[in-house]
Amino acid sequence: MAEADFSATGVRIERWPRSLTRAGEVLIKDGRLALLTSYGRVIDTAPVRAVRASRPWFAGRDDAMVATLNGTRYRLTMGQRTPEPDEAAGSAVAGRLMEAVRRAGGDSS
């Protein structure tokens, strides 16, 4: 079994206007990006080339990003697993995710 190109746990995944999970996972493996719940159930998946990822202009936080999979926009907030969310660590993870999407041929800005 191949190792994942990118994996982040403790991700808050929201589809406006509601939260889908507060401790989800973002996984890039075999050319596909998957959003998973804390129980491992797939929320959505798409080829990385079809994914659009960017920092939201309205968030005011560096640990948040918006990803569009299959025409559905999701807000992803990294670093949510600790009792006090760590925005600096979340920002680093969000940057790594943006770079992983860019390397895999997706649209990230």
Side-chain angles (χ1 to χ4, degrees):
M1 183 170 218
E3 189 169 319
D5 297 330
F6 176 86
S7 178
T9 58
V11 178
R12 181 181 187 100
I13 302 172
E14 299 171 293
R15 182 174 56 214
W16 288 276
R18 68 182 188 141
S19 174
L20 301 174
T21 183
R22 291 183 287 166
E25 182 176 3
V26 177
L27 184 68
I28 297 178
K29 186 175 179 179
D30 299 330
R32 294 190 69 81
L33 186 139
L35 303 177
L36 309 170
T37 67
S38 55
Y39 297 108
R41 185 180 62 86
V42 175
I43 295 170
D44 204 349
T45 184
V48 178
R49 291 189 176 144
V51 173
R52 289 183 39 216
S54 63
R55 302 269 184 169
W57 59 269
F58 54 83
R61 295 176 54 129
D62 288 334
D63 61 347
M65 62 181 296
V66 175
T68 304
L69 284 78
N70 302 319
T72 304
R73 290 180 12 188
Y74 297 93
R75 181 175 177 182
L76 311 174
T77 308
M78 311 296 172
Q80 297 293 299
R81 192 153 234 175
T82 58
E84 291 188 22
D86 184 0
E87 187 175 339
S91 177
V93 174
R96 285 189 4 242
L97 175 57
M98 296 275 291
E99 183 59 32
V101 169
R102 187 176 301 120
R103 274 194 324 263
D107 180 17
S108 66
S109 29

